Amino acid sequence: MPAIVVLVKHVPDTWSKRTLEADFTMNRSDVDAVIDEVNEYAIEQALKLKEAHGYEVVALTAGPEGAEEALRKALAMGADRAMLLRDDALAGSDVLGTSWALLNAVNQIPDVQLIICGAASSDGSMGQVPGILAEYRQQPALTYLKSVSVDGTTIRGVRETADGDYEIEAQLPAVVSISDKADKPRFPNFKGIMAAKKAEIPTYNLAAIGVSPEQVGLAHAATAVTSAEEHPKREGGEKIYGSAEQLAEQLADFLANEKLI
């Protein structure tokens, strides 16, 4: 059966205070972790395609102990099965190493026609994994979509930007990323939640997918964070003065410059 792989990620809750370790990796031990919200939008699009075309939906994540909870949320929503990649050697991997590991994990799944990701994770906010995966697989990438559909071997999507909506298409197999402008994710029902709790999730290490520890991990990363600083505190907004006509003109200019109108 043709498969859709949905990449999900277990991330620190955005309501938690997030801090960095001395090596500039994120402190994940002292915060609550949840499935990344944008991944739920990706799962929803995958489930819609499953309902329309009969795909098998496979949820995949790479992460430490506890990461399977993101997979259980995907299963509760309606994914058919899940796969966990867990290996201590993955710790600190940059986006290239992470994408390489995910690529080889995806390669364990037969007949993958579509990889669906969230547009960007809330902990890294890079948004590069979909494009890198597409390059590794030599397949088209359709990114930052708010909707996606399949017609035969053609995939179509709509990307919303400040300048308007763009309709894009490509031939399957392909990689897509979904933004939070897409349809709201469904709530898991009681039956789905209970089934997800009982589901057995196969766990793979790097050896099982043919990846060497020297290809991943912080020590072998091709990129490095050399410094970091906190966001500056938000300051007061700009005040404008004048007559009603002048204020309206300034407001219109501001909105136009920000591409809000």
Side-chain angles (χ1 to χ4, degrees):
M1 179 186 297
I4 296 174
V5 176
V6 185
L7 300 184
V8 300
K9 192 174 185 182
H10 203 50
V11 299
D13 193 331
T14 54
W15 291 100
S16 301
K17 181 176 176 58
R18 292 180 286 182
T19 59
L20 298 179
E21 303 283 8
D23 59 4
F24 299 113
T25 58
M26 184 168 289
N27 176 5
R28 300 178 185 273
S29 60
D30 299 330
V31 295
D32 295 328
V34 296
I35 186 174
D36 206 342
E37 184 179 5
V38 74
N39 295 158
E40 297 186 44
Y41 289 86
I43 296 167
E44 179 63 30
Q45 292 300 308
L47 295 177
K48 287 181 178 295
L49 292 175
K50 170 187 172 180
E51 293 160 356
H53 303 286
Y55 289 104
E56 178 189 36
V57 174
V58 183
L60 167 64
T61 194
E65 185 177 356
E68 65 269 14
E69 292 307 312
L71 295 174
R72 295 195 187 279
K73 179 62 179 289
L75 291 170
M77 290 177 66
D80 297 292
R81 59 189 179 96
M83 175 179 173
L84 171 63
L85 175 60
R86 185 165 65 200
D87 196 302
D88 290 344
L90 281 166
S93 295
D94 65 359
V95 69
L96 294 172
T98 298
S99 299
W100 181 250
L102 289 171
L103 166 75
N104 285 275
V106 169
N107 288 345
Q108 309 306 307
I109 302 168
D111 199 13
V112 175
Q113 291 297 300
L114 192 59
I115 300 174
I116 301 183
C117 320
S121 65
S122 61
D123 56 348
S125 301
M126 296 187 69
Q128 300 301 310
V129 168
I132 295 172
L133 277 177
E135 179 65 22
Y136 282 157
R137 288 173 65 86
Q138 289 296 286
Q139 294 172 357
L142 290 73
T143 56
Y144 289 89
L145 303 183
K146 68 175 184 179
S147 66
V148 63
S149 62
V150 170
D151 181 8
T153 60
T154 301
I155 179 169
R156 296 184 175 89
V158 177
R159 177 188 296 151
E160 180 179 325
T161 74
D163 297 317
D165 288 355
Y166 291 84
E167 296 181 1
I168 52 182
E169 66 177 54
Q171 293 299 300
L172 293 172
V175 181
V176 305
S177 68
I178 303 297
S179 76
D180 59 5
K181 303 293 184 182
D183 292 338
K184 289 187 178 299
R186 65 193 66 188
F187 288 103
N189 57 35
F190 180 76
K191 182 179 179 181
I193 293 172
M194 294 308 295
K197 284 184 177 180
K198 298 175 182 177
E200 291 188 12
I201 298 176
T203 301
Y204 294 74
N205 59 19
L206 291 178
I209 61 172
V211 173
S212 167
E214 288 73 28
Q215 296 174 309
V216 297
L218 182 62
H220 307 289
T223 60
V225 178
T226 58
S227 65
E229 59 186 41
E230 292 187 5
H231 280 293
K233 292 183 178 180
R234 183 175 295 180
E235 299 179 354
E238 179 184 353
K239 296 180 180 180
I240 57 177
Y241 303 92
S243 65
E245 290 183 355
Q246 291 172 326
L247 292 176
E249 183 176 349
Q250 292 179 69
L251 179 58
D253 289 342
F254 172 80
L255 293 174
N257 289 335
E258 296 296 322
K259 297 185 177 180
L260 297 174
I261 57 173

